Amino acid sequence: MKILLTSATIIDASSSHHLTTQDILIENGQILKIGNLADLPADKIMSGLYVSQGWFDSSVSFGEPGYEERETLENGLRTSALSGFTTVAVNPNTNPVADSHADIAFIKAQSKEHGVTLLPIGALTTGSQGEALAELYDMQKAGAIAFGDYKKSISNANLVKIALQYAQNFDGLVLSFPNDSKIAGKGIVNEHISSTKLGLKGIPALAEVLHVARELTILEYTGGKLHIPTISTSESIALISNAKAKGLDVSCSVAISNLFFDDEMLDGFDSHYKLMPPLRNKEQVAALRAAVLDGTIDMVTSDHNPLNIELKQVEFDHAAYGSIGLESAFGALNSLFGTEKTIEILTAGKKRFGCEVHPIEEGNQANLTLFLPEESYTFSEKDIHSTSLNSIFLGHTLKGKAQGIIAKNQLIIQ
């Protein structure tokens, strides 16, 4: 297939064509020419789009196998593509939990022919029960790119120590969700003025901070590679910054929702705003945004977590945690940080998770995201491609929309 992008604005700081408007000719999945090519014939011609390297999301959930009513792998990959993501790391919160070679192989097989590259995260412990280490090496051989129990912290510190030591044998990346369950107790929202006012049990920042401090202390002892997903406090930022200064191999992410919203959104008891980690106060949100800008936070994730209506449209206390986020990711980040920084953010996690990087240059593989950054709009159900509709961004103003991707010699567009 021959694709011609005319008058395309290139946003790619690693490319010699960064911030220029060019024509781009793509044939059989490769960038053949960049320049003034408007008169060349092509199977598909598109004009006036913005183009960047393909975006990456380090934390998405699709449900299949076991929770297909929330999201199938097929529709999840389609949603990823239409949201601008060429590569996604999928969490093991399935039924059964993805904790074996066969589970990882099944997930990989489902995406083999799709334009979006799916990278499975294997469970760190058997059944994500936090009791025994899963078969990490077997999963790595099947294609797992990291190991972690989604939204579940491990209370047994020795298990984390063993995981970090063992994974070094094959350069494995260990994920540890930062929440001390004993400190969090029965809390469901951020412990702050808003939780007291609303009469909801609070989760103190201490629950996250203690866990981050413990994992970093273990990492300093064992060595290895650690990723701490979806932090939400300034204290965690400081701890991770100090650990990096010591030379520890640690990275972290933040969920887009925790950058965009604060706990004042809880006033209406709308379960769309019930997340884990919980929405924090304005000061914490400001600290998170600053840490994204200065690079202390390595990557940002949509933390896409589809949930069927029965799990969300119930009393706030009983509602499940989570929001979809792929479709709103670009518009939310672009509203906060502007286009150049947003593209940097959306491609920042690739190397950490072992993804190939393809600058927009002649001769390179075409792994591209197509988008328009200027349009402001109110995010609504018509913008959702997911099977589930549990989006925290419904009714909020965003700026910019993904149009699709070109990847693995496929064009998938809105």
Side-chain angles (χ1 to χ4, degrees), residues 16 53 73 83 165 167 203 208 255 281 298 304 306 313 327 348 369:
S16 60
Q53 287 189 40
L73 285 167
S83 303
Q165 291 172 326
I203 302 173
E208 176 177 300
N281 60 43
D298 301 271
H304 182 80
Q313 288 199 4
E327 300 96 322
T369 295

Side-chain angles (χ1 to χ4, degrees), residues 4 59-61 67 72 89 105 151 176 179 216 235-236 239 243 252 254-255 280 316 323 337-338 353 368 397 406:
L4 180 62
S59 176
V60 303
S61 301
Y67 300 117
T72 61
K151 302 294 184 184
S176 180
N179 183 50
L216 293 175
E235 296 90 341
S236 295
L239 287 167
C252 65
V254 62
R280 302 291 187 182
F316 193 93
S323 169
F337 299 112
F353 280 79
L368 306 173
T397 300
I406 299 172

Side-chain angles (χ1 to χ4, degrees), residues 46 137 203 213 219 289 302 313 344 349 367:
M46 294 177 287
Y137 181 67
I203 302 173
L219 179 66
R289 291 180 184 178
S302 72
Q313 288 199 4
E344 179 187 326
N367 187 277

